């Protein structure tokens, strides 16, 4: 493929058999080989200068960036990606929060009471009734996956008083008990008990799918902005080459005017072409700055003022690697890999679970309740004289030492025990809340199924459009490449005719503009082709995999 400079150099090396004068040919050759470019051009790379003409821009710091660099930095710094990543973490923590329902719960309480009062019956002390009471209560409760719960509790009471008719004074009364409750109808079963956990887990998966979908959308946009910046730089180089040809044409016209082979009015036309192409370079340089700012914003919206002045210099060029796609296979791949499609199926699963749960909540509550307790009693046993009356102080004959140890021995021997079993039944009379919740769940399921169907149609449409865009751009590349080659040949032929005086200055300048347009169109289409490939991978849900991007959990 020839560029405009090569065409110009070919033009300058030809021999002229016509009698326009040897001097004219020597001047043309001199202009072809010694004319310096108006603005230096160089390939974009790590060792070359950036093709800006403004001297101030050359002094600004440069950041050489590959497409991979741009994608990785966007994954790390883009605010929308960070927000979605936080959403996934929040959803994960909600799973842990809902699983706390099955954590063990412990309770502990203690109290001490001292009281005194006047005697109120024959068993009271003669002057003042006094008592000291100390209590300790503790227990452990846990919810079961079957819907029930159990509680193990321990209670201890220590009491002492000045009553003369108490055999144990002080005494210890410990009680170790076990209570169990199991729903038999409403709230029975693992699915009902773990309903909130299952919903939280589904929401966590949905959040992850949303994150991946958002990530692919943002990375596709970063890729588009990256190639857009590459195109703006390439387009600026085309404008520079076009400007050089216009200036060379102007110089040639001036030479012809000097030797008397061209009218002076032709110089004005060439000068107008030079001015127009200089204006195109100014617009092109501004477009590059705009493209850089847009890419910076997509990669790192938190950049400071100094970072806005850093030039992003892309090191990759858009390749043209011909790829073909089978439409039906692309649609099937999209249904297998699209995270938003998986997310919608999870949403339907959650609604189906809600229907089963709300149906269970409409049932009467029938709970099995059972308890068992082991009791103990011991302390300082007072032995009084028999045959005493209530009118006189009893005579203490002796004591038998005892305490908490003996009471606990009674507990673990199970000699003194209580047990209970029964049923608690609750029958709703109207039950409108549960019935409405169940009806609402059915409507929501129908709604989610409609959304899934609508999403399926959207996926098919998006894939068809994306495949069509790729195929169209392939044809456009072929067409614009052929148009550029023909424009090169036309300009070369017209330059030969102009050299011998059989063409006009206007015609040469017009064909120069046509060639610049053709070269710009070819670069534009190659960029569009790469953008359409990325877009197709996004709508198929394979963008992360095809780009070797691993999403860490």
């Amino acid at each position: 493929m020839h560029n405009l400079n090569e065409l110009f150099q070919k033009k300058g090396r030809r021999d002229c058999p016509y009698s326009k004068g040897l001097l004219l040919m020597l001047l043309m050759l001199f202009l072809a080989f010694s004319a310096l470019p108006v603005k230096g051009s160089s390939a974009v790379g790590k060792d070359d200068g950036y093709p800006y003409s403004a001297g101030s821009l050359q002094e600004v710091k440069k950041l050489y960036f590959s497409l991979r660099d741009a994608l990785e930095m966007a994954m790390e710094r883009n605010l929308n990606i960070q927000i979605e990543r936080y959403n996934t973490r929040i959803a994960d923590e909600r799973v842990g929060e809902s699983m706390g329902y099955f954590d063990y719960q412990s309770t502990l309480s203690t109290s001490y009471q001292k009281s005194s009062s006047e005697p109120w019956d024959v068993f009271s002390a003669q002057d003042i009734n006094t008592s000291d009471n100390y209590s300790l209560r503790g227990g452990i409760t846990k919810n079961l996956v079957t819907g029930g719960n159990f509680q193990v509790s321990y209670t201890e009471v220590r009491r002492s008083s000045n009553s003369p008719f108490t055999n144990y004074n002080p005494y210890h009364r410990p009680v170790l008990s076990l209570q169990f409750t199991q729903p038999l109808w409403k709230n029975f079963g693992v699915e009902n008990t773990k309903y909130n956990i299952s919903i939280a887990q589904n929401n966590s998966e949905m959040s992850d799918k949303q994150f991946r979908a958002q990530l692919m959308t943002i990375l596709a946009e970063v890729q588009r902005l990256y190639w857009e910046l590459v195109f703006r730089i390439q387009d600026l180089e085309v404008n520079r080459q076009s400007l050089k040809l216009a200036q060379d044409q102007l110089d040639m016209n001036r030479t012809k005017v000097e030797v008397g082979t061209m009218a002076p009015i032709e110089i004005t036309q060439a000068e107008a072409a030079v001015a127009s192409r200089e204006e195109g370079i100014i617009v092109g340089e501004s477009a590059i700055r705009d493209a850089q700012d847009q890419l910076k914003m997509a990669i790192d919206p938190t950049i400071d003022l100094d970072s806005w002045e850093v030039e992003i210099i892309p090191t990759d060029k858009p390749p043209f690697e011909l790829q073909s796609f089978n439409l039906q296979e692309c649609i099937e791949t999209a249904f297998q890999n699209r995270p938003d499609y998986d997310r919608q199926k999870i949403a339907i699963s959650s609604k189906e679970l809600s229907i089963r749960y709300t149906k269970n909540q409409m049932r009467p509550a029938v709970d099995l309740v059972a308890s068992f307790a082991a009791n103990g009693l011991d302390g300082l046993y007072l032995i009084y004289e028999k045959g005493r009356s209530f009118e006189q102080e009893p005579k203490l004959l002796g004591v038998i030492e005892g305490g908490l140890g003996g009471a606990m021995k009674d507990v673990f021997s199970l000699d003194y025990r209580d047990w209970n079993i029964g049923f608690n039944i609750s029958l709703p009379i109207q039950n409108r809340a549960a019935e409405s919740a169940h009806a609402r769940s059915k409507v929501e399921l129908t709604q989610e199924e409609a959304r899934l169907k609508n999403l399926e149609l959207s996926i098919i449409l998006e894939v068809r459009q994306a495949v069509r865009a790729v195929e169209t751009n392939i044809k456009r590349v072929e067409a614009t490449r052929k148009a550029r080659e023909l424009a090169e040949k036309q300009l070369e032929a017209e330059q030969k005719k102009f050299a011998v005086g059989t063409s006009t200055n206007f015609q040469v300048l017009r064909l120069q503009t046509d060639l610049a347009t053709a070269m710009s169109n070819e670069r534009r289409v190659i960029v569009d082709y790469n953008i359409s490939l990325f877009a197709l991978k996004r709508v198929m849900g394979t963008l992360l995999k095809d780009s070797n991007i691993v999403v860490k959990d």
Side-chain angles (χ1 to χ4, degrees):
M1 182 180 70
H2 302 291
N3 58 30
L4 293 178
N5 288 327
E6 291 174 345
L7 291 176
F8 177 75
Q9 290 170 356
K10 288 183 178 180
K11 173 196 71 174
R13 289 196 297 266
R14 291 192 306 270
D15 295 329
C16 181
Y18 297 92
S19 56
K20 293 295 183 179
L22 181 59
L23 178 61
L24 178 59
M25 284 302 305
L26 291 174
L27 289 173
M28 292 172 61
L29 289 172
F30 175 77
L31 290 173
F33 289 103
S34 63
L36 295 176
V38 175
K39 294 181 181 179
S41 61
S42 60
V44 178
K46 294 186 177 181
D47 298 325
D48 299 323
Y50 194 51
Y52 276 159
S53 61
S56 60
L57 291 177
Q58 293 287 357
E59 299 172 359
V60 178
K61 293 183 296 183
K62 299 176 175 59
L63 180 61
Y64 296 91
F65 237 35
S66 66
L67 177 58
R68 182 74 184 185
D69 295 333
L71 297 178
E72 290 179 351
M73 183 171 288
M75 288 183 61
E76 179 183 353
R77 301 185 181 182
N78 183 275
L79 287 181
N80 289 324
I81 293 178
Q82 292 182 22
I83 291 172
E84 289 299 331
R85 186 179 284 113
Y86 290 140
N87 286 336
T88 60
R89 292 176 59 183
I90 292 172
D92 290 341
E93 294 302 326
R94 285 175 177 167
V95 174
E97 180 182 347
S98 61
M99 293 181 69
Y101 177 77
F102 294 104
D103 292 345
Y104 286 91
Q105 301 293 328
S106 63
T107 60
L108 180 64
S109 65
T110 182
S111 65
Y112 173 76
Q113 180 184 11
K114 185 176 180 64
S115 64
S116 62
S117 64
E118 295 181 359
W120 64 84
D121 56 25
V122 296
F123 299 104
S124 302
Q126 296 297 322
D127 298 324
I128 300 176
N129 281 335
T130 62
S131 64
D132 292 278
N133 297 280
Y134 171 78
S135 64
L136 175 67
R137 295 178 177 84
I140 296 178
T141 304
K142 179 173 174 57
N143 295 316
L144 304 175
V145 294
T146 58
N149 65 82
F150 74 86
Q151 179 181 8
V152 178
S153 61
Y154 172 77
T155 302
E156 179 190 340
V157 176
R158 181 188 183 279
R159 177 182 173 84
S160 64
S161 70
N162 65 346
S163 173
F165 299 99
T166 302
N167 290 106
Y168 286 98
N169 193 11
Y171 69 82
H172 295 268
R173 183 182 292 277
V175 179
L176 182 62
S177 62
L178 173 64
Q179 297 177 345
F180 173 73
T181 303
Q182 175 59 55
L184 300 180
W185 202 350
K186 181 181 179 181
N187 293 324
F188 172 78
V190 176
E191 185 177 73
N192 292 313
T193 308
K194 299 180 67 175
Y195 169 74
N196 290 329
I197 296 177
S198 300
I199 293 297
Q201 290 174 337
N202 285 350
N203 290 340
S204 178
E205 293 183 26
M206 291 170 62
S207 179
D208 179 71
K209 299 299 181 182
Q210 176 65 26
F211 169 71
R212 293 175 182 272
Q214 181 75 355
L215 179 61
M216 287 194 292
T217 299
I218 293 175
L219 293 184
E221 177 64 11
V222 170
Q223 182 258 13
R224 185 191 70 81
L225 294 174
Y226 183 90
W227 290 135
E228 187 68 26
L229 175 58
V230 171
F231 167 73
R232 293 301 175 187
I233 294 173
Q234 292 179 342
D235 194 53
L236 177 62
E237 185 61 27
V238 170
N239 289 336
R240 286 204 179 111
Q241 293 181 14
S242 179
L243 173 61
K244 181 182 182 305
L245 284 178
Q247 288 185 323
D248 291 343
Q249 185 71 24
L250 175 60
D251 293 340
M252 188 180 300
N253 289 355
R254 287 172 176 168
T255 302
K256 288 189 174 185
V257 170
E258 291 176 359
V259 299
T261 59
M262 178 179 288
I265 191 62
E266 298 293 340
I267 295 179
T268 303
Q269 192 176 55
E271 289 175 341
V274 169
S276 175
R277 294 175 193 184
E278 286 178 341
E279 187 265 345
I281 289 179
I282 295 172
V283 173
E285 290 177 341
S286 177
I288 289 177
R289 298 188 191 97
D290 290 342
Q292 286 181 331
D293 288 347
Q294 291 174 1
L295 183 58
K296 292 174 188 176
M297 190 66 183
I299 292 175
D300 186 5
T302 62
I303 59 177
D304 53 26
L305 292 177
D306 292 336
S307 298
W308 283 109
E309 301 304 322
V310 175
E311 294 183 23
I312 295 180
I313 303 178
T315 58
D316 290 342
K317 294 183 179 180
F320 180 67
E321 299 174 355
L322 191 61
Q323 300 184 37
S324 60
F325 298 91
N326 181 277
L327 178 59
Q328 188 60 37
E329 292 179 356
C330 291
I331 293 176
E332 293 175 357
T333 300
F335 285 137
Q336 294 172 1
N337 295 279
R338 282 279 291 256
D340 54 344
Y341 187 68
D342 293 338
R343 182 181 185 276
Q344 189 59 35
K345 289 192 292 186
I346 296 173
I348 290 178
S349 176
S350 294
K351 295 305 177 183
E352 291 173 344
L353 179 60
S354 295
I355 288 178
R356 295 192 296 270
Y357 176 76
T358 54
K359 182 179 180 180
N360 175 268
Q361 296 302 296
M362 295 170 60
R363 297 170 178 173
V366 180
D367 298 341
L368 170 66
V369 181
S371 64
F372 176 83
N375 306 309
L377 175 64
D378 200 3
L380 186 64
Y381 187 74
L382 306 178
I383 303 174
Y384 291 97
E385 180 183 14
K386 294 183 179 181
R388 58 182 173 170
S389 65
F390 297 123
E391 298 178 355
Q392 60 183 2
E393 187 78 20
K395 183 178 180 180
L396 179 64
L397 299 179
V399 297
I400 299 176
E401 296 291 339
L404 181 59
M408 293 303 298
K409 185 178 180 180
D410 291 342
V411 170
F412 290 110
S413 68
L414 302 182
D415 291 336
Y416 310 100
R417 56 191 179 274
D418 299 328
W419 63 272
N420 175 65
I421 188 169
F423 295 93
N424 292 333
I425 300 176
S426 175
L427 297 174
I429 297 178
Q430 290 182 303
N431 208 21
R432 289 181 294 181
E435 292 174 353
S436 297
H438 184 59
R440 174 176 53 81
S441 296
K442 288 183 176 181
V443 175
E444 290 175 345
L445 175 61
T446 304
Q447 182 186 48
E448 296 298 338
E449 290 174 342
R451 286 175 176 168
L452 179 65
K453 183 61 178 178
N454 185 61
L455 180 59
E456 289 175 349
L457 296 175
S458 298
I459 289 175
I460 294 174
L461 178 61
E462 290 176 4
V463 173
R464 288 177 60 87
Q465 291 176 338
V467 171
R468 189 181 302 117
V470 171
E471 294 174 346
T472 300
N473 286 328
I474 291 175
K475 297 177 182 179
R476 290 177 63 202
V477 170
E478 296 173 353
T480 54
R481 179 172 295 172
K482 185 175 182 180
R484 187 260 307 161
E485 292 173 350
L486 293 175
E488 288 176 345
K489 293 179 181 179
Q490 284 182 319
L491 178 59
E492 184 177 4
E494 201 67 27
Q495 287 173 333
K496 291 179 180 179
K497 293 168 62 177
F498 181 79
V500 298
T502 59
S503 180
T504 64
N505 180 60
F506 171 78
Q507 191 69 8
V508 172
L509 293 174
R510 183 182 65 81
L511 291 178
Q512 287 178 358
T513 301
D514 292 346
L515 177 57
T517 301
M519 294 176 67
S520 179
N521 290 342
E522 183 181 15
R523 287 161 171 77
R524 174 77 265 176
V525 172
I526 292 177
V527 166
D528 289 344
Y529 173 72
N530 282 272
I531 293 175
S532 64
L533 281 178
F534 230 66
L536 177 58
K537 294 175 182 178
R538 182 187 66 81
V539 299
M540 289 195 304
T542 61
L543 188 150
L544 300 179
K545 179 181 178 182
D546 294 341
S547 301
N548 296 320
I549 295 176
V550 178
V551 179
K552 298 180 180 180
D553 295 333

